[in-house]
Amino acid sequence: MPALSVDRLVKRYDGRAVVDGLTLTAASGQVTAVLGPNGAGKTTTIECCEGLRKPDAGTVRVLGLDPHADAAALRPRVGVMLQDGGLPSGARALEVLRHVSEMYASPRPVDELVERLGIGSFARTSVRRLSGGQRQRLALACAVVGRPELVFLDEPSAGMDPQSRHAVWALVKELRADGVAVVLTTHLMDEAESLADVVHVVDHGAVIASGTVSELLSGGSDAGNETTVRFTAPAGLDLAELTKWLAERGVTDPAVTVGRRTLEHVFLDLTGRHLR
C-alpha cells in the first residue's frame, strides 16, 4: 500500500475545477516531489491530502485512511510543514518546538533538532521576528519532531542561505533512509533534482508527467520545432571545430550549448515559458 494515494481527485472553486481528475502516489522510504507552476493545482491537492480541504470527487488515502474523516487518527502519524509556517507569532522559537514535541508519545529529542537545524541561534526570538529562512527551519523541526510516517514539506528551503539549505537536505535524506514517506513541493528545480526519487509534474489540475529524475531527463520533450542532438563529448571539445563541422553539413549559424539537461529544462518544456 502506498503511503499516499490520490485517485481522480477533483476540487472546484466557484464551479471551476482547480484540480481536475488528478492521480498520483507516494511510497514510504522515498522523496516524492510535486512540481507545478503557480495556479497549477498542486497546493490545493496537497491541502486535500493534509485534510485541510475536502475533495469534491475522487479519493485520497493517507496511510490507508481518509485524511478528512480520519484526521484524529492520522494527526500523530503525519507531519505537515506549511510554507507560511502556521506558527504562533508571539511565542519564542524554542518554546514552540518544545510545546509541539510534548504532543507526541515518542518525539525526537528537541536538542538534536535544535543543533541539526541551527535553531539555537534564535531560540529565544519570537516567531514574528524570525527571518523567512529561520521560520522555515523551525517549521521543519515542528513537522518532524513527532517521528511521522509521512511528512508533507511545502517549500522547505525557501529563503534559506546555502548552509541552512544543505542542513535541510541532509535531514530530508535521513528521513527517507528511515523509511519515512516525504512529499515535497518546491519551485527550486535543483532541490527536487537533488532529493526526489519520483517527480510528478502538475499543470491545469492534473499530472502531466511522472517518473524518476533520470526518466524525465531522458524522455523530456523539446519546445518549439528545434532539432536537438545530444551526445557525450570528450574533455577539451573544440567548439570552433564542431561549429565548422556543422557548417560544412549545412547547419548554419548553430547555437551550440555545452551543458547538461536539467529538471528545469524538462519543467519548462512541459509547462511552457509564459508567465502565469
Side-chain angles (χ1 to χ4, degrees):
M1 179 186 298
L4 171 66
S5 176
V6 181
D7 184 33
R8 293 169 290 182
L9 176 67
V10 175
K11 182 63 182 178
R12 300 183 184 90
Y13 295 121
D14 298 325
R16 183 176 68 90
V18 176
V19 181
D20 192 9
L22 185 144
T23 296
L24 61 78
T25 60
S28 298
Q30 289 188 349
V31 176
T32 301
V34 182
L35 310 179
N38 291 331
K42 63 183 186 302
T43 298
T44 299
T45 297
I46 297 301
E47 289 175 345
C48 289
C49 296
E50 295 166 344
L52 300 177
R53 298 190 185 276
K54 191 172 183 179
D56 293 315
T59 59
V60 178
R61 291 294 177 267
V62 174
L63 303 175
L65 301 175
D66 183 319
H68 195 267
D70 302 316
L74 285 171
R75 201 166 293 126
R77 303 174 63 190
V78 177
V80 176
M81 176 188 179
L82 302 175
Q83 189 176 359
D84 62 6
L87 304 172
S89 61
R92 295 176 177 179
L94 184 56
E95 292 174 347
V96 171
L97 181 56
R98 290 199 184 282
H99 175 71
V100 172
S101 73
E102 290 170 359
M103 298 178 181
Y104 296 95
S106 182
R108 292 177 69 133
V110 168
D111 291 344
E112 176 232 336
L113 285 173
V114 167
E115 182 177 354
R116 288 284 302 275
L117 295 173
I119 294 173
S121 62
F122 54 88
R124 296 180 59 80
T125 304
S126 65
V127 171
R128 72 164 60 93
R129 297 183 182 276
L130 298 180
S131 69
Q134 290 171 337
R135 194 176 294 112
Q136 287 297 89
R137 281 186 274 163
L138 177 60
L140 174 60
C142 290
V144 304
V145 71
R147 303 183 191 272
E149 300 168 49
L150 167 63
V151 61
F152 293 98
L153 304 180
D154 187 6
E155 302 285 346
S157 64
M160 292 186 183
D161 57 36
Q163 292 86 353
S164 301
R165 191 177 177 196
H166 283 280
V168 168
W169 288 10
L171 181 55
V172 171
K173 291 175 182 177
E174 180 185 290
L175 292 169
R176 173 177 59 194
D178 290 341
V180 178
V182 180
V183 177
L184 168 74
T185 57
T186 181
H187 284 109
L188 302 175
M189 295 298 112
D190 62 330
E191 179 166 76
E193 192 166 340
S194 296
L195 295 177
D197 298 290
V198 176
V199 175
H200 299 291
V201 181
V202 175
D203 202 8
H204 303 295
V207 172
I208 60 172
S210 296
T212 65
V213 171
S214 295
E215 289 169 346
L216 291 176
L217 291 181
S218 63
S221 62
D222 294 293
N225 296 315
E226 299 174 353
T227 298
T228 301
V229 179
R230 299 189 184 91
F231 59 91
T232 302
L237 174 68
D238 189 326
L239 288 182
E241 288 295 324
L242 176 60
T243 301
K244 178 182 176 182
W245 184 88
L246 290 169
E248 289 172 349
R249 285 154 180 80
V251 184
T252 57
D253 192 25
V256 178
T257 302
V258 177
R260 71 180 186 88
R261 184 172 172 81
T262 67
L263 191 57
E264 183 168 332
H265 295 136
V266 176
F267 181 83
L268 290 172
D269 287 347
L270 290 167
T271 64
R273 288 164 169 76
H274 58 284
L275 298 177
R276 301 294 180 97

